[in-house]
Amino acid sequence: MAVVVEQTIPFAKEQLDAENTTRWNSLYPLIRPSIKAIKTTSGQTVLVDQTLANDKFVRVVVVGKAGNFSNKLLSDKHITAVVTSSDNGNTLSGRELAKAIDEAGHQQQAGVVILKSGKQKKLTRVENQLVEVGLESDLEVDHLIHLLGASTESARSSLDRTVEILNAYLENSTTVTSTFSTGKKDGRPATTLAEEDSRGYEEARHAITKALEQVLQPHLEQKNGVTHSVHYSDVNGLSRLENYILGLEIATYLREAGLSYRLSTSTLLQHADLARGFSISACPVSEQHLEAQSEPTNPLADEATEGSSLTKVDSRFMKFNDHAVRSRIEDGCEAVIKEEATITRYDEIVGDGDCGYTLRDGAKQVLKFIANKDLSELPQTLSELVRDLEVNMGGTSGALYCIFLTSLSSALALTNTVAEALSVALDQLLNYTRARLGDRTMLDCLIPFVEVLKSTGNIERALAEAEKGVESTKNLEAKLGRSTYLDESATRGVPDPGAYGLLVLLKGMSVSEQ
């Protein structure tokens, strides 16, 4: 996972005017045209989704503070209405909200649930068909939005069964928040968990596991008849790939603990505290009300699973020498580990400051993994390595390396030369990223290296072109990633850290060739 070096939200809250309820009430209907703004007698606005007017399920209304709303309110289609509150404390009553929904033409046979953020945790049955739920944090609101939307049809059709879910959450849910520290602890990337002191971790999964142990400890013995609803929110803008990695770690932990689960996610902006991090909320729910999700599949990884025809080395194609392959991999990884400080220094200037740690930790994991492996079976070993790196190597770089190596493991079993296999893997990688040559990414190193190696077979010429590509990034404008938030003058003269790190790896692996 990344470590915060500088604030990455490009605009201050004053510039965004994010806490202006009038502005939010104007923007939300533009984002979702199905929204109808209903003015109450007190002058406040209730934003009602008209697509749910004839819905047979319990109505869900969310009341929260403008500026701290999450993407759940923009993406979830089962939220009937949204109300923004301000610091003056003027909040509509449950009856007023129900009346506004009625005026919008909604049927309310199944009842109404109102979720209010920033309140004491409490459920109040205002009327027979009207329930108010106070929640302390936006994380809890997001979790309940998902939980109510993902519950069984029978639960969503009955206010009484919905109340059972709500009571289970209020009584049994646990939460934890982990924020990324702005520096190292004992020479390692660090996070702060809840009220604990900052602590350094050798691997990203250790930090996530620590948070999971805390939030799931009260629930680990509950395995029969329940589905564990687990929601995680990235705080202040983790990248999409970092979110995927976080989700993978959580799902792996739940699966290994033998828990049936349903996982959900959202993004939260907290202008009061700009540090990035993640929060996790967990609650066991009766399986009668919530069904467990099926295990996700990865088609790309499935192509290279152990025992598949793609990973078995065919005698008609390449043969691999364990000693030669091992020497190259070890030399490349040792070179990356040695250059960690330089890569980190570059990334502290133009990025999050975590690229050096990510590549170093990935290199260490590779060395550890291959120690007892037969590298003469390189395609199969590579596919197994990817599954290990998916868990142990975070960040955008980690995801891109995993995609590339997955494709490479298949290509090595089906082509006649390493250069051909690298070309096939590059083509596959380009299907999974928008980055291209000239975008100031690791591809400014990888593309020229692979293309020249394939066309000439000359490793020295390929490395020379790769080095030119890395040098060119010193004067390129970033089009993707964190560097896009910086003025071009801030990145000028500094190579892209990912491209530089890859060049170090390629040079290290090519030492014996030269």
Side-chain angles (χ1 to χ4, degrees):
M1 303 302 295
V3 176
V4 172
V5 175
E6 294 182 4
Q7 167 57 19
T8 55
I9 297 176
F11 300 103
K13 66 176 182 179
E14 292 79 12
Q15 294 172 294
L16 292 172
D17 198 18
E19 296 181 2
N20 184 334
T21 57
T22 302
R23 188 166 183 266
W24 172 257
N25 291 337
S26 300
L27 286 174
Y28 195 28
L30 294 176
I31 297 170
R32 290 182 64 174
S34 60
I35 294 294
K36 180 178 181 180
I38 304 295
K39 280 282 189 180
T40 67
T41 55
S42 62
Q44 290 186 268
T45 301
V46 181
L47 303 172
V48 185
D49 191 342
Q50 292 299 86
T51 60
L52 302 176
N54 298 314
D55 198 277
K56 66 179 181 179
F57 301 121
V58 172
R59 302 289 186 239
V60 178
V61 180
V62 180
V63 180
K65 185 178 178 181
N68 273 9
F69 277 158
S70 81
N71 68 328
K72 275 287 177 185
L73 299 187
L74 302 178
S75 60
D76 277 53
K77 303 300 185 183
H78 62 276
I79 300 173
T80 302
V82 175
V83 183
T84 58
S85 63
S86 57
D87 291 328
N88 59 22
N90 294 331
T91 303
L92 292 171
S93 68
R95 291 186 177 88
E96 288 176 306
L97 290 170
K99 181 180 178 181
I101 295 172
D102 185 63
E103 290 178 359
H106 277 245
Q107 301 176 17
Q108 299 180 30
Q109 296 95 330
V112 178
V113 169
I114 301 171
L115 307 179
K116 293 186 175 183
S117 179
K119 305 291 183 180
Q120 181 182 0
K121 291 176 73 170
K122 181 181 179 181
L123 185 147
T124 304
R125 196 140 193 172
V126 180
E127 295 177 352
N128 186 45
Q129 291 294 90
L130 177 60
V131 172
E132 290 187 13
V133 181
L135 297 161
E136 295 175 350
S137 67
D138 297 318
L139 170 68
E140 294 172 332
V141 171
D142 277 8
H143 191 172
L144 269 183
I145 288 173
H146 168 79
L147 179 52
L148 295 179
S151 59
T152 61
E153 185 170 323
S154 63
R156 287 185 290 144
S157 302
S158 165
L159 186 60
D160 289 336
R161 285 189 283 271
T162 297
V163 167
E164 290 179 16
I165 296 174
L166 294 170
N167 280 326
Y169 186 85
L170 294 176
E171 294 170 6
N172 302 316
S173 65
T174 51
T175 63
V176 68
T177 295
S178 183
T179 56
F180 300 139
S181 301
T182 56
K184 295 181 180 180
K185 186 75 172 181
D186 300 325
R188 300 172 179 175
T191 66
T192 301
L193 184 65
E195 302 300 323
E196 297 180 3
D197 293 333
S198 178
R199 177 178 174 182
Y201 293 93
E202 183 68 26
E203 298 178 2
R205 63 172 176 170
H206 296 160
I208 300 171
T209 298
K210 179 69 174 177
L212 286 169
E213 288 174 349
Q214 182 168 322
V215 78
L216 290 173
Q217 187 60 42
H219 314 307
L220 290 178
E221 299 304 318
Q222 302 181 57
K223 296 184 178 181
N224 297 323
V226 300
T227 298
H228 291 264
S229 177
V230 179
H231 183 88
Y232 66 97
S233 290
D234 88 71
V235 180
N236 289 338
L238 301 183
S239 71
R240 184 172 297 182
L241 286 170
E242 287 170 323
N243 268 288
Y244 290 158
I245 293 166
L246 180 58
L248 173 64
E249 295 287 356
I250 295 173
T252 301
Y253 185 95
L254 293 167
R255 183 171 60 252
E256 292 179 351
L259 303 178
S260 299
Y261 65 90
R262 180 167 286 274
L263 196 59
S264 58
T265 183
S266 64
T267 296
L268 293 172
L269 288 182
Q270 302 288 353
H271 291 288
D273 183 0
L274 298 180
R276 298 194 306 138
F278 60 89
S279 297
I280 303 174
S281 172
C283 178
V285 179
S286 169
E287 62 184 11
Q288 295 180 343
H289 298 329
L290 183 69
E291 296 178 355
Q293 68 187 58
S294 57
E295 286 295 320
T297 60
N298 182 344
L300 185 62
D302 289 344
E303 292 180 0
T305 53
E306 183 177 356
S308 75
S309 60
L310 291 179
T311 60
K312 294 179 180 178
V313 180
D314 193 308
S315 59
R316 293 173 297 171
F317 299 109
M318 288 182 282
K319 299 290 186 181
F320 300 95
N321 178 277
D322 179 278
H323 175 72
V325 173
R326 189 176 303 277
S327 295
R328 289 183 183 276
I329 294 176
E330 289 176 347
D331 288 344
C333 289
E334 292 294 347
V336 170
I337 294 170
K338 185 178 180 180
E339 282 293 295
E340 177 267 316
T342 301
I343 301 169
T344 296
R345 186 170 70 253
Y346 290 151
D347 202 38
E348 285 175 344
I349 298 172
V350 302
D352 288 339
D354 68 323
C355 186
Y357 309 140
T358 298
L359 296 181
R360 177 203 64 190
D361 293 347
K364 288 182 177 180
Q365 191 63 30
V366 170
L367 293 176
K368 179 180 177 181
F369 182 86
I370 67 171
N372 299 311
K373 296 292 182 179
D374 179 7
L375 298 185
S376 65
E377 300 288 344
L378 185 58
Q380 182 170 320
T381 302
L382 264 184
S383 69
E384 295 170 359
L385 171 63
V386 169
R387 290 196 291 275
D388 189 75
L389 289 179
E390 283 177 336
V391 176
N392 293 293
M393 188 176 179
T396 304
S397 297
L400 293 176
Y401 273 94
C402 285
I403 293 172
F404 184 79
L405 292 176
T406 297
S407 301
L408 182 61
S409 68
S410 300
L412 285 171
L414 297 171
T415 53
N416 293 304
T417 68
V418 172
E420 290 178 28
L422 289 170
S423 181
V424 171
L426 175 60
D427 289 341
Q428 282 291 329
L429 177 62
L430 293 176
N431 290 329
Y432 286 84
T433 176
R434 293 186 292 114
R436 293 296 184 268
L437 193 67
D439 285 345
R440 191 182 164 86
T441 69
M442 62 182 287
L443 290 178
D444 289 304
C445 173
L446 182 62
I447 290 175
F449 176 82
V450 172
E451 289 182 347
V452 173
L453 185 64
K454 182 183 179 183
S455 62
T456 68
N458 188 308
I459 188 70
E460 292 185 7
R461 289 179 60 181
L463 285 172
E465 289 303 312
E467 189 161 8
K468 289 180 183 178
V470 175
E471 281 294 309
S472 73
T473 64
K474 292 181 178 180
N475 300 307
L476 291 174
E477 179 183 357
K479 297 179 181 179
L480 299 166
R482 302 290 177 194
S483 296
T484 57
Y485 295 149
L486 301 174
D487 186 86
E488 186 180 351
S489 61
T491 62
R492 190 176 299 120
V494 181
D496 177 74
Y500 178 79
L502 177 57
L503 179 63
V504 170
L505 175 66
L506 294 174
K507 282 186 172 181
M509 295 182 71
S510 305
V511 169
S512 59
E513 183 78 23
Q514 299 175 28

